[in-house]
Amino acid sequence: NPYGRAAEGTFASAYGQSKLAQIMHMRELQRRLRAEPGLGGEKAVRCISVTPGFALTNIAAGKIPKPLMPFVWLISRSAHIGAQSIQMACVDPDVPGGSYLSNCYVKASEGAGGCSNSPEEWVQLWDLCERCVEDDRYP
């Protein structure tokens, strides 16, 4: 649910909610750009959401207990490997705008009730963001 507050104190819940909102906002921007005259559909601008997966970077520095680090090293990927999806988004002309890339493939996204695939929900989130900016208030 991109509209409500994430559960208090849970990084994973807040991160998931922000990623969902990012995907929906990106898809609405791509939809608007496709309709803009002179941009040639997706030839001038492509909006793509990318996740590097669980890459071991400094974002978690000092937050992972030392006894767990061998396990984390085992299940995570390097920052270099995590960057491959980002590179793909930048240089692969076959990736369509509005895509969500994970592990170098276009990944389906969901959200509550399939909201990340609903143009009506994208517009609702876009409008909410515009109101927040106009009112200088953020829920």
Side-chain angles (χ1 to χ4, degrees):
N1 176 6
Y3 307 110
R5 290 194 178 272
E8 291 293 324
T10 59
F11 173 79
S13 178
Y15 178 82
Q17 189 177 31
S18 69
K19 182 55 100 172
L20 174 61
Q22 176 201 27
I23 291 167
M24 293 171 64
H25 199 267
M26 171 272 304
R27 288 186 171 155
E28 176 59 14
L29 177 59
Q30 185 68 66
R31 186 191 68 75
R32 289 172 183 234
L33 291 173
R34 281 182 184 133
E36 192 69 29
L39 289 181
E42 294 179 17
K43 292 187 175 136
V45 179
R46 285 183 307 148
C47 303
I48 301 170
S49 183
V50 181
T51 180
F54 182 39
L56 190 55
T57 65
N58 64 356
I59 195 169
K63 296 181 177 98
I64 300 170
K66 288 189 191 257
L68 292 179
M69 283 308 294
F71 178 68
V72 170
W73 286 324
L74 182 66
I75 64 170
S76 66
R77 62 186 69 188
S78 70
H80 175 77
I81 297 299
Q84 297 303 306
S85 289
I86 299 166
Q87 290 174 330
M88 181 181 176
C90 294
V91 300
D92 188 343
D94 294 329
V95 177
S99 295
Y100 172 48
L101 286 180
S102 175
N103 295 324
C104 292
Y105 71 93
V106 176
K107 182 179 181 180
S109 59
E110 299 169 8
C115 63
S116 68
N117 298 307
S118 169
E120 294 82 17
E121 294 281 346
W122 307 342
V123 171
Q124 184 179 347
L125 180 61
W126 187 280
D127 291 345
L128 172 65
C129 292
E130 282 188 335
R131 283 194 309 275
C132 288
V133 169
E134 287 170 5
D135 299 342
D136 197 25
R137 293 184 51 186
Y138 308 94

